[in-house]
Amino acid sequence: MAHEENKAFLRRVPLFSGLTEPQLENLAGGSARRSYPKGRTIVAEGEPSQSMYILLAGRAKVQRSDSEGKEVILAVLSSGEFFGEMSLIDDAPRSASVITLEPCEFMAVSKEAFKAMLVQSPEVTMAVMRGLVRRLREADKKIETLALLDVYGRVARVLLDFSELVGSERIVKNKLPRQEIAKMIGASREMVSRVMKGLEIDGYIVPMPEGKLVLRERS
Ligand code: CMP
């Protein structure tokens, strides 16, 4: 029963859309569904790896930290995205930690099943490569942001990146704590608070209930 359910879930994952029925069958045999509460570490930086994961619901952050515990957020993942594939591909330790930002559901795919999939299906290999390339593009953009923009510009870019168009308005729908923004751009929480206050006074951001923000052009 769990096997059939896993197969049904895997069939809906874009990464595996090119798989044949027997391939899907094999993959389901090496997969398990998992649910975790907010704040749970799913993979830990520096640890050896056994599985990769597909996020079925919820959001999770990818973060690294130094020996003093200072943290930088590399990305926020949402439903449909996958992670944990890097260390399966190069057999190195986990490159970062992935921590749930809200209750999440995952499909965990074993190392063996994932590697077998890469060999059997050029479509899955291409989809994984597209995912890696997208991440490299985002990392390039982040390097540019950190090297060339001041803190105002960095905060503005994070807000734009996390916003979506709703009708004619650009809205940040999910609450973005200042501490989390600070960890994305290498600034202090106090500095981010000052910048956000300035953007609000200048009319660039309008706070809404439940932590939502409306972004505005200069008025
Ligand atoms: P792995 O190294 O196995 O474990 C940590 C995972 O975090 C890694 O695989 C990737 O899936 C993911 N990851 C690492 N760096 C980034 C990044 N810059 N953007 C998004 N995801 C990342």
Side-chain angles (χ1 to χ4, degrees):
M1 187 58 197
H3 181 83
E4 284 307 309
E5 260 181 33
N6 286 355
K7 222 165 87 180
F9 271 104
L10 289 167
R11 195 177 279 117
R12 292 205 294 270
V13 173
L15 178 62
F16 301 128
S17 61
L19 291 184
T20 61
E21 201 54 30
Q23 287 171 336
L24 211 54
E25 185 72 33
N26 285 341
L27 188 62
S31 306
R33 256 179 85 197
R34 306 235 187 276
S35 301
Y36 292 107
K38 176 180 172 178
R40 184 68 66 86
T41 300
I42 310 302
V43 308
E45 183 182 350
E47 297 280 307
S49 57
Q50 291 308 323
S51 313
M52 60 86 72
Y53 299 82
I54 295 126
L55 194 45
L56 300 174
R59 292 181 313 134
K61 61 179 173 179
V62 181
Q63 114 181 352
R64 284 178 65 104
S65 49
D66 67 10
S67 54
E68 287 159 24
K70 276 201 297 193
E71 294 162 351
V72 55
I73 296 178
L74 302 174
V76 174
L77 307 174
S78 47
S79 134
E81 294 190 89
F82 60 86
F83 62 91
E85 78 298 345
M86 283 171 56
S87 55
L88 297 193
I89 292 171
D90 68 2
D91 287 319
R94 294 288 192 197
S95 60
S97 296
V98 180
I99 301 163
T100 55
L101 287 170
E102 48 196 59
C104 285
E105 275 194 49
F106 301 97
M107 189 62 90
V109 178
S110 73
K111 187 178 198 159
E112 295 70 30
F114 178 65
K115 285 196 157 174
M117 222 32 44
L118 292 184
V119 173
Q120 287 167 18
S121 166
E123 286 83 6
V124 171
T125 306
M126 281 304 291
V128 170
M129 282 172 63
R130 271 196 300 277
L132 292 171
V133 168
R134 183 164 49 91
R135 242 179 247 163
L136 182 56
R137 287 182 188 278
E138 280 161 13
D140 286 351
K141 206 166 103 187
K142 195 154 194 172
I143 293 169
E144 181 202 18
T145 299
L146 293 175
L148 303 181
L149 298 184
D150 61 15
V151 179
Y152 273 86
R154 293 182 202 176
V155 172
R157 184 161 273 184
V158 168
L159 295 177
L160 277 171
D161 283 349
F162 278 82
S163 70
E164 50 193 281
L165 261 181
V166 180
S168 59
E169 293 207 298
R170 190 156 274 289
I171 296 184
V172 180
K173 278 188 175 171
N174 287 311
K175 189 172 165 48
L176 255 184
R178 273 137 219 226
Q179 182 67 59
E180 303 279 297
I181 298 177
K183 285 186 199 171
M184 288 181 218
I185 62 170
S188 67
R189 196 186 62 77
E190 293 71 25
M191 185 64 191
V192 171
S193 290
R194 265 206 301 281
V195 169
M196 297 277 284
K197 195 80 223 156
L199 291 172
E200 192 183 324
I201 289 167
D202 292 344
Y204 288 111
I205 57 177
V206 181
M208 306 295 280
E210 294 166 18
K212 293 191 176 83
L213 292 173
V214 177
L215 309 188
R216 292 265 156 81
E217 303 273 327
R218 185 193 282 270
S219 44

